[in-house]
Each structure stands twice: as structure tokens, then as C-alpha cells.
């Protein structure tokens, strides 16, 4: 059983995260709300993994990273709402092994914890075996996994978010999350777009504990919102060619593939 120390000034996050990790077989050996207290607990308990926020009173997560990163056996995962490149790059430079954005998905967080431990990722909870397999180190690192291993997975999320803003897909609708996940999975495995109904939708549904049909409808709604907002020119400008008109809406698969292909080409 791996020992974990949690450091975050949000007591609700600490309580929820502690409960979730215990249910997944981790041992929580200490909880702290600031860097100094966290360091004291780490020195006392010698955990395997530290999960820490950045913004905290007194001594923050950056300070803690500087102190703990020199202890080579301890793996550090940053769990923070700070999404800008500069913040994340600084954390990686100071020794963070992984960076997970809030609001977090427990399946993703546990997968990252298994990755830093150098273990193959196993299923986390029900219906997540296929999603977890995306992070398996037994496979050749894909485009997205390379970014994860370089501590730069945040660039994928940030780029997708910027595209959604440009085309007019609001963050509060459910289809936003599903569409973002679909694009990331397609970046990881372009062939999956050819099995959108049998594989892609069910994988997203498993992660978010919903049905494949609801995933399909929510993504369709997100695309319709963009078209109803009249952002067609923005979309055509984004892709550098006049792809669509107001009356020529893409299918879910076409839209997902278009964005995934654009990101893959830009990354080359």
C-alpha cells in the first residue's frame, strides 16, 4: 500500500480526495494546509507520493517543491487550478513529476499516480478499464502521452480550450467536457474516430459515468451552439480554409477529427 501526503488549503478538497484515494487502496499518512506543515509531515512519514496544491498561505506549493524535489524517492504531483503555461512550467522545473488541473478527475489522478510509480495503469472503479489503458506504460508513448511524460499535457487542454473559445463553445455545457475528451482521445489514437459509436462514445461515457447516447447528444449540442452563435467565419479562419457555411454543419466525427488533425499537424 503506497503512502500519500496531501497538501492543500481547501479542507473540502482534502476531505474528498483523501476518501477517494483510500477507496483506491492508497494510505493517507498525512494532511496539511500549507507548505511548511506539509514538509514537516513529509519528513516524519516519508511517503511515496505527495499531492500538493500551489496557492496556499505562508509557504506555498512552489516552496514545498523546492524542498521535497531533492528527496529523490518521493514522487510529487501538483493538483492545482493554475492553468497558465508559466505556472505549470515552473512547477515542472522545480521537480513536479506530474501536473493535474482542478477540477480533477479521480481516474486521471490515480492514473498519473501509477505512472510516476512506474507501474502499468490498472482499472480505477467501474467502467474505466479502457480509459486507464490510455496511460499504460506498456504501450509505445503516443502524441498525448509524450506530452504527459514531458510534463506538458496542459498544452493539449489549453489549446483545445482556446479553440472552443474561438468557435463559441461555452465551458458550462456538458458537451464541452465530452468534446474535449473526444479530441484528446483522437489525438492519442486517430483510428478511433472510425469507431466513434462503438469505442469513442463508450470510453467517454465510462469515464464520466453516463451513457454513450448522452455523450453523442451532448457533443452534437455543443457543435450546434457554435453554429447558432454564428461563429462560422472564426471556424474557417481557425482552419485556414473555408470549410463550412451556416447551413453546412459537420457531423460529430468530422468536427472532432478536424480539430485533432489540426493539433497533430501543429505539433510536428
Amino acid at each position: 500500500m503506497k503512502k500519500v501526503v496531501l497538501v492543500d488549503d481547501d479542507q473540502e478538497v482534502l476531505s474528498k480526495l483523501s476518501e477517494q484515494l483510500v477507496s483506491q487502496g492508497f494510505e493517507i499518512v498525512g494532511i496539511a494546509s500549507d507548505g511548511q506543515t506539509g514538509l514537516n509531515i513529509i519528513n516524519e512519514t516519508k511517503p511515496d507520493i505527495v499531492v500538493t496544491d500551489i496557492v496556499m498561505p505562508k509557504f506555498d506549493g512552489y516552496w514545498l517543491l523546492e524542498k521535497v524535489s531533492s528527496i529523490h524517492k518521493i514522487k510529487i504531483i501538483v493538483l492545482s487550478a493554475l492553468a497558465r503555461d508559466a505556472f505549470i512550467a515552473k512547477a515542472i522545473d522545480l521537480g513536479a513529476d506530474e501536473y493535474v488541473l482542478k477540477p480533477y478527475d479521480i481516474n486521471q489522478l490515480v492514473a498519473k499516480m501509477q505512472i510516476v510509480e512506474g507501474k502499468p495503469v490498472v482499472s480505477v472503479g467501474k467502467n474505466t478499464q479502457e480509459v486507464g489503458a490510455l496511460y499504460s506504460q506498456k504501450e509505445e508513448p503516443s502524441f498525448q502521452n509524450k506530452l504527459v511524460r514531458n510534463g506538458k499535457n496542459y498544452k493539449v487542454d489549453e489549446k483545445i480550450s482556446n479553440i472552443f473559445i474561438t468557435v463559441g463553445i461555452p465551458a458550462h455545457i456538458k458537451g464541452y467536457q465530452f468534446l474535449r475528451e473526444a479530441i484528446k482521445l483522437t489525438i492519442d489514437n486517430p483510428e478511433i474516430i472510425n469507431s466513434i459509436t462503438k469505442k469513442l462514445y463508450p470510453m467517454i461515457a465510462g469515464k464520466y459515468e453516463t451513457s454513450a447516447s448522452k455523450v453523442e447528444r451532448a457533443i452534437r449540442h455543443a457543435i450546434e451552439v457554435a453554429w447558432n452563435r454564428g461563429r462560422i467565419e472564426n471556424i474557417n479562419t481557425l482552419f485556414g480554409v473555408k470549410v463550412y457555411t451556416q447551413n453546412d454543419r459537420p457531423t460529430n466525427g468530422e468536427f472532432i477529427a478536424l480539430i485533432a488533425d489540426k493539433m497533430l499537424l501543429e505539433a510536428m
Side-chain angles (χ1 to χ4, degrees), residues 174-186:
K174 197 67 177 178
Y176 181 100
Q177 290 181 325
F178 295 160
L179 186 55
R180 180 175 63 182
E181 191 68 25
I183 293 166
K184 291 167 67 176
L185 291 173
T186 305

Side-chain angles (χ1 to χ4, degrees), residues 247-260:
N247 297 321
D248 183 25
R249 298 182 185 182
T251 65
N252 289 6
E254 289 172 345
F255 193 73
I256 292 165
L258 194 64
I259 296 178

Side-chain angles (χ1 to χ4, degrees), residues 2 19 49 53 63 69 85-86 174 192 228 238-239 251:
K2 295 300 180 181
E19 182 179 335
I49 302 173
D53 194 4
W63 179 89
S69 61
D85 288 12
K174 197 67 177 178
I192 200 172
N228 291 337
L238 180 70
F239 296 109
T251 65

Side-chain angles (χ1 to χ4, degrees), residues 86-254:
F87 296 132
I88 301 170
K90 182 177 180 179
I92 299 301
D93 288 343
L94 289 174
D97 293 282
E98 289 287 352
Y99 199 108
V100 179
L101 291 175
K102 293 178 180 178
Y104 67 92
D105 175 82
I106 188 59
N107 299 331
Q108 181 194 34
L109 178 59
V110 171
K112 295 286 183 82
M113 293 172 77
Q114 291 170 335
I115 286 172
V116 300
E117 283 280 283
K119 297 166 57 179
V121 175
V122 297
S123 174
V124 182
K126 63 179 181 178
N127 299 324
T128 58
Q129 185 173 4
E130 289 183 289
V131 176
L134 291 172
Y135 299 94
S136 174
Q137 289 185 313
K138 291 183 178 179
E139 299 176 0
E140 184 67 22
S142 61
F143 170 73
Q144 186 179 335
N145 283 339
K146 286 180 181 177
L147 291 180
V148 169
R149 289 187 175 89
N150 291 333
K152 297 179 181 178
N153 185 52
Y154 63 92
K155 288 190 175 180
V156 175
D157 289 317
E158 183 177 295
K159 183 66 176 178
I160 294 173
S161 295
N162 288 339
I163 290 174
F164 286 178
I165 291 170
T166 300
V167 303
I169 298 175
H172 69 274
I173 62 175
K174 197 67 177 178
Y176 181 100
Q177 290 181 325
F178 295 160
L179 186 55
R180 180 175 63 182
E181 191 68 25
I183 293 166
K184 291 167 67 176
L185 291 173
T186 305
I187 288 171
D188 231 13
N189 177 18
E191 292 300 319
I192 200 172
I193 201 67
N194 297 321
S195 303
I196 190 169
T197 302
K198 292 184 178 180
K199 292 184 179 180
L200 186 59
Y201 292 154
M203 289 176 74
I204 298 170
K207 179 173 181 177
Y208 290 96
E209 298 186 352
T210 185
S211 67
S213 61
K214 287 182 179 179
V215 170
E216 188 277 332
R217 288 196 298 270
I219 291 176
R220 166 52 43 188
H221 173 66
I223 296 171
E224 289 177 348
V225 168
W227 253 250
N228 291 337
R229 288 185 168 194
R231 299 284 185 90
I232 311 305
E233 287 305 316
N234 287 0
I235 293 170
N236 289 330
T237 300
L238 180 70
F239 296 109
V241 62
K242 190 171 183 178
V243 183
Y244 299 111
T245 66
Q246 185 67 44
N247 297 321
D248 183 25
R249 298 182 185 182
T251 65
N252 289 6
E254 289 172 345

